[in-house]
């Protein structure tokens, strides 16, 4: 931890907050202090945006190949230092080291993907339908951006935004989550090391997220906002963006259904459920939140999943063999515990887990619940913990209706061997992403995003860089 910067990063320099304020970053495994980090205020936000604005013209004019090569260098160095970053992620967020290393690999891939997309930005040339003129379109950077990133993937949720912004030629201000600022500060250091010009990336750790973000969004020079977090906060930011008509991308809450049909390969479905549920201890917006299982196979599926979940080793993320780390804070444990207790009171049966852990740290055991009533609160909200509530169905139409019975529409999963059913699900499920016979949908080469209350805009894939580009149309006489 001694090598991790603990200051604000503005205009290529490490600075204290203007008022000298600092805050403590805690280890969720035991509540101990990891670091004291500079705590940005509104004056620091103004300085960061000043730096981004000052750097925009020159950065936007750099050759696409130059931006791409810089991202490629960042990918290579981040990959080389995977274990260093994994240690920091594990310490401040809680996830096991192996999973933290997986996040570094995943997060670095956004730099590699967008290093290749940087040189593929293009417009078009065509004749007008009447033949009297020519139509030319060109792409150019949106301009200075604000990124607000969450605590659950402190590296990958940053690289997923920073990668396309760099590729497109945008400058940026990043406000990492209060619980996990260290990873982003370390990433800023790495990007500076590979040659990112001063002012292109600015990082503001803060305990005053509302005032800092509001101050930035009130400035007409800010042209784009990308937020990953709760739907409630996302709605506030969308309203604030209206004053200056800022471009907005919102990756918000989820309530992912995991459908298991009667014809499913049950061992494969259990394997997929372990991935979809237990990635990041269930603290992921794409996490399988509701398990909708055909009544004919629910008992066997629940028993097998309970056996696998119950065998997972819970502990401090840095300890050997640990597969499930702590949740992010005490409030998270309280929320998960209450949802489980309420479901049991409503008639659900505990297959494994179900009781919060004693002692230090914010731990909750992997839990499987069977016979969860469709009306239970745990089916209506984002659990954000290692709990798999199973509700049964008897027909395909019933399963689809239950899956769509949510305001959210981010990720969904289904296990079936029926190709025609797969096509029906793709057409009828109201979600931005669907995994068929897989528990993992996230991929830097694919467009990540949702519909309904899960937000709008896409990150990753060919679509990802378009979020950072404006289109200019030029009309030319034919002759």
């Amino acid at each position: 931890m001694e090598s991790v910067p603990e200051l604000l990063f503005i205009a290529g320099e490490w600075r204290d907050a203007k008022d000298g304020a600092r805050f403590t970053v805690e280890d969720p495994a035991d509540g101990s202090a990891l670091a004291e980090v500079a705590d940005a205020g509104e004056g620091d936000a103004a300085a960061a945006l000043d730096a981004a604005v000052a750097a925009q013209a020159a950065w936007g004019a750099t050759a696409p190949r130059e931006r791409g090569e810089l991202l490629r260098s960042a990918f290579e160095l981040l990959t080389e230092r995977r274990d260093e970053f994994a240690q920091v992620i594990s310490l401040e967020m809680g996830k096991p080291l192996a999973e933290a290393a997986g996040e570094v690999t995943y997060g670095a891939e956004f730099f590699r993907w967008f290093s290749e997309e940087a040189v593929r930005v293009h417009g078009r040339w065509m004749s007008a339908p009447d033949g009297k003129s020519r139509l030319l379109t060109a792409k150019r950077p949106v301009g200075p951006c604000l990124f607000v990133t969450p605590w659950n993937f402190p590296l990958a949720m940053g690289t997923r935004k920073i990668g396309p912004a760099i590729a497109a030629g945008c400058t940026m201000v990043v406000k990492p989550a209060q619980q996990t600022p260290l990873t982003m500060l370390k990433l800023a250091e790495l990007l500076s090391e590979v040659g990112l010009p001063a002012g292109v990336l600015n990082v503001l750790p803060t305990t005053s997220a509302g005032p800092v973000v509001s101050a930035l969004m009130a400035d007409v020079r800010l042209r784009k906002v990308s937020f990953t977090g709760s739907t409630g906060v996302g709605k506030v930011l969308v309203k604030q963006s209206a004053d200056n008509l800022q471009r907005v991308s919102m990756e918000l809450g989820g309530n992912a259904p995991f459908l298991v049909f009667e014809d499913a390969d049950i061992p494969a479905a259990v394997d997929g459920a372990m991935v979809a549920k237990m990635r990041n201890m269930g603290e992921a917006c794409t996490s399988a939140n509701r398990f909708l299982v055909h009544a004919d196979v629910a008992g066997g599926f629940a028993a097998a999943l309970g056996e696998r979940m119950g065998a997972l080793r819970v502990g401090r993320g840095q300890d050997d063999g640990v597969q499930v780390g702590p949740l992010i804070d005490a409030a998270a444990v309280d929320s998960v515990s209450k949802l489980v207790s309420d479901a049991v009171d409503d008639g659900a049966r505990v297959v494994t887990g179900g009781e919060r852990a004693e002692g230090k740290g914010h731990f909750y055991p992997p839990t499987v619940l069977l016979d969860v009533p469709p009306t239970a609160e745990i089916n209506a909200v984002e659990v954000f913990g290692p709990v798999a509530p199973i509700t049964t169905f008897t027909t395909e139409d019933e399963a689809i209706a239950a899956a769509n019975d949510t305001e959210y529409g981010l990720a969904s999963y289904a296990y079936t061997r029926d190709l025609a059913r797969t096509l029906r699900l793709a057409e009828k499920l109201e979600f931005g992403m669907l995994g068929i016979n897989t528990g993992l949908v996230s991929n830097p080469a694919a467009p990540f995003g949702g519909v309904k209350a899960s937000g709008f805009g896409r990150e990753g894939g060919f679509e990802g860089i378009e979020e950072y580009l404006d289109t200019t149309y030029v009309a030319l006489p034919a002759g």
Side-chain angles (χ1 to χ4, degrees):
M1 295 302 298
E2 293 78 8
S3 64
V4 179
E6 298 178 356
L7 300 173
L8 313 180
F9 188 64
I10 298 174
E13 299 177 348
W14 297 101
R15 305 181 185 181
D16 283 310
K18 286 183 179 295
D19 62 3
R22 302 183 76 82
F23 68 95
T24 301
V25 180
E26 294 185 353
D27 183 341
D30 58 17
S32 62
L34 292 173
E36 294 288 328
V37 176
D39 191 354
E42 293 180 43
D44 302 300
L49 186 55
D50 286 345
V53 170
Q56 179 59 59
W59 177 242
T62 57
R65 180 68 72 192
E66 181 180 340
R67 299 195 296 266
E69 290 300 313
L70 190 148
L71 281 170
R72 180 71 192 201
S73 296
F75 160 75
E76 292 172 350
L77 190 57
L78 186 53
T79 301
E80 179 184 319
R81 296 179 182 173
R82 185 188 67 170
D83 292 344
E84 289 179 36
F85 276 85
Q87 284 282 353
V88 176
I89 293 170
S90 180
L91 282 166
E92 68 174 347
M93 187 269 155
K95 69 182 71 179
L97 277 172
E99 189 159 2
E103 180 184 342
V104 178
T105 299
Y106 171 59
E109 192 64 29
F110 285 102
F111 283 170
R112 176 157 64 173
W113 175 263
F114 285 109
S115 74
E116 296 160 347
E117 287 301 288
V119 297
R120 308 207 195 310
V121 174
H122 58 84
R124 62 187 171 91
W125 169 273
M126 64 176 284
S127 294
D130 63 7
K132 295 179 179 179
S133 63
R134 302 295 178 260
L135 313 181
L136 172 67
T137 64
K139 302 287 186 176
R140 61 182 179 190
V142 168
C145 304
L146 168 62
F147 300 151
V148 182
T149 59
W151 51 261
N152 55 342
F153 290 92
L155 179 83
M157 297 304 96
T159 59
R160 197 158 72 180
K161 301 177 192 300
I162 294 169
I166 288 176
C170 296
T171 61
M172 67 215 82
V173 177
V174 180
K175 190 216 75 66
Q178 175 181 338
Q179 299 95 326
T180 57
L182 303 176
T183 303
M184 183 55 64
L185 292 170
K186 189 171 177 64
L187 182 63
E189 184 178 54
L190 181 146
L191 286 166
S192 179
E193 185 176 342
V194 299
L196 189 68
V200 174
L201 172 68
N202 306 273
V203 182
L204 298 175
T206 182
T207 59
S208 302
V212 165
V213 169
S214 294
L216 288 164
M217 293 182 67
D219 195 312
V220 295
R221 299 175 299 168
L222 184 74
R223 298 313 311 143
K224 161 84 181 180
V225 180
S226 180
F227 170 73
T228 299
S230 72
T231 296
V233 174
K235 289 180 178 179
V236 171
L237 296 180
V238 171
K239 290 177 182 177
Q240 290 180 348
S241 72
D243 287 340
N244 289 320
L245 295 177
Q246 287 143 345
R247 288 272 294 273
V248 181
S249 299
M250 292 282 140
E251 196 267 280
L252 307 178
N255 188 0
F258 189 103
L259 285 68
V260 181
F261 289 92
E262 69 276 16
D263 66 331
D265 180 334
I266 298 302
V270 172
D271 288 342
M274 291 297 294
V275 174
K277 177 72 264 182
M278 292 308 298
R279 185 184 184 209
N280 219 51
M281 292 85 73
E283 294 177 309
C285 53
T286 55
S287 177
N289 211 54
R290 301 168 289 147
F291 288 79
L292 305 174
V293 185
H294 194 280
D296 290 350
V297 297
F301 176 83
L305 183 60
E307 183 177 355
R308 292 277 296 277
M309 295 267 280
L312 295 173
R313 183 181 173 191
V314 180
R316 184 181 181 85
Q318 298 80 52
D319 292 347
D320 291 341
V322 165
Q323 297 161 294
V324 182
L327 300 186
I328 191 63
D329 54 28
V333 178
D334 289 342
S335 174
V336 171
S337 182
K338 184 178 186 304
L339 288 170
V340 170
S341 297
D342 289 350
V344 172
D345 290 344
D346 288 341
R349 293 192 290 117
V350 177
V351 178
T352 191
E355 295 288 339
R356 65 192 302 163
E358 299 294 332
K360 289 184 177 182
H362 309 309
F363 295 95
Y364 195 89
T367 296
V368 177
L369 304 176
L370 183 58
D371 297 330
V372 177
T375 56
E377 185 181 9
I378 201 169
N379 278 329
V381 301
E382 197 168 18
V383 179
F384 240 60
V387 180
I390 299 174
T391 300
T392 60
F393 67 85
T394 56
T395 69
E396 180 181 311
D397 286 344
E398 180 187 352
I400 292 171
N404 288 338
D405 187 19
T406 173
E407 65 175 321
Y408 299 103
L410 187 60
S412 57
Y413 308 88
Y415 273 75
T416 179
R417 287 184 268 205
D418 186 330
L419 177 58
R421 173 181 285 147
T422 295
L423 297 177
R424 290 193 296 272
L425 293 174
E427 293 177 351
K428 294 181 179 181
L429 289 175
E430 298 168 353
F431 296 85
M433 298 177 285
L434 170 60
I436 295 292
N437 297 329
T438 180
L440 182 65
V441 295
S442 298
N443 189 312
F448 186 103
V451 297
K452 302 193 294 188
S454 290
F456 42 80
R458 293 297 181 266
E459 295 183 307
F462 303 118
E463 297 83 352
I465 199 168
E466 290 295 327
E467 300 286 337
Y468 299 91
L469 296 168
D470 281 330
T471 299
T472 298
Y473 153 58
V474 181
L476 300 170

